[in-house]
Amino acid sequence: MRVLLVEDSIRLQQTVGTALRRSGYAVDVSGDGEDGLWRAENNDYDVIVLDIMLPKRDGLSLLQCLREKGKTTHVLLLTAKDTVQDRVHGLKSGADDYLVKPFALEELLARVETLCRRGYGSKQNRLTLADLEIDVAAKKVSRAGQSIKLKPREYQLLEYLAHRPGEVVSQAEIEAHLYSDDAEPMSNVVESILSSLRRKLGEANPVPLIHTRRGLGYVMEALES
């Protein structure tokens, strides 16, 4: 999953950005409203974590501009203001959730995770496909009752595909959701991750769940034998 953090505080950029990355998210960071708006308009993020008080363009103005242009990315507002009127104003401007500073990192991570699930139409902490189970909250995977240990990128890719069962997902879409702007993945990196992921899933049950649609991308589905 890919997150945009728009926050002018260097301390919060580092603290929140590190926490999100350690939780498995690809993170882009912006320090002002103009740059944040440009990034939000030109990339497909799962969630935008947006401070209200920003240089060049405030967060509410940024949010309103996104909504006017039809961008439906889920937005978590960060603010030091804690009145009911402030919260209502933020939500009416198009925010999906609201978090008052100072906040606990655990709460922010939980809210981001909830918004990610909402973006894929899911309210559950557990994804299942045939005998595959993914505990989204704990980031654990099992198949046929057997626990499977995955590297962070392998887990991210598996969860992303599992959120879109039966849909063909292109390699460009996968790269856009697994890597931030400052990352430069090699041309064969997705194939390499998929190969390792398929091997690990196959050790528990050899029936494939991830299929290649040549020239189009990849699809996750349980096909009948």
Side-chain angles (χ1 to χ4, degrees), residues 196-210:
S196 177
L197 181 56
R198 283 168 164 157
R199 176 180 57 79
K200 291 181 178 180
L201 294 177
E203 290 174 354
N205 184 340
V207 178
L209 293 176
I210 302 174

Side-chain angles (χ1 to χ4, degrees), residues 106-140:
E106 292 82 359
E107 182 176 3
L108 182 141
L109 293 173
R111 289 175 183 266
V112 169
E113 182 180 306
T114 297
L115 290 178
C116 281
R117 291 201 307 268
R118 189 185 302 173
Y120 291 97
S122 174
K123 295 183 179 180
Q124 305 299 320
N125 284 329
R126 192 175 298 274
L127 301 174
T128 60
L129 180 66
D131 59 353
L132 176 71
E133 292 190 3
I134 304 173
D135 186 331
V136 176
K139 309 295 182 187
K140 293 182 179 180

Side-chain angles (χ1 to χ4, degrees), residues 5 18 33 59 120 122 134 138 143 145 157 170 178 219:
L5 171 63
T18 298
Y120 291 97
S122 174
I134 304 173
R143 188 175 188 195
L157 176 52
S170 70
L178 262 61
V219 60

Side-chain angles (χ1 to χ4, degrees), residues 2 4 37 39-50 62-76 91 93-97 112 114-121 177:
R2 190 174 177 187
L4 172 62
L37 178 60
R39 289 174 182 268
E41 288 178 331
N42 290 279
N43 296 282
D44 290 324
Y45 293 102
D46 294 289
V47 174
I48 299 174
V49 180
L50 177 63
L62 187 162
L63 176 57
Q64 289 168 347
C65 187
L66 282 182
R67 296 305 188 229
E68 288 170 0
K69 294 185 177 182
K71 276 283 189 177
T72 59
T73 310
H74 288 313
V75 173
L76 171 62
L91 294 170
S93 296
D96 298 276
D97 201 355
V112 169
T114 297
L115 290 178
C116 281
R117 291 201 307 268
R118 189 185 302 173
Y120 291 97
H177 279 79

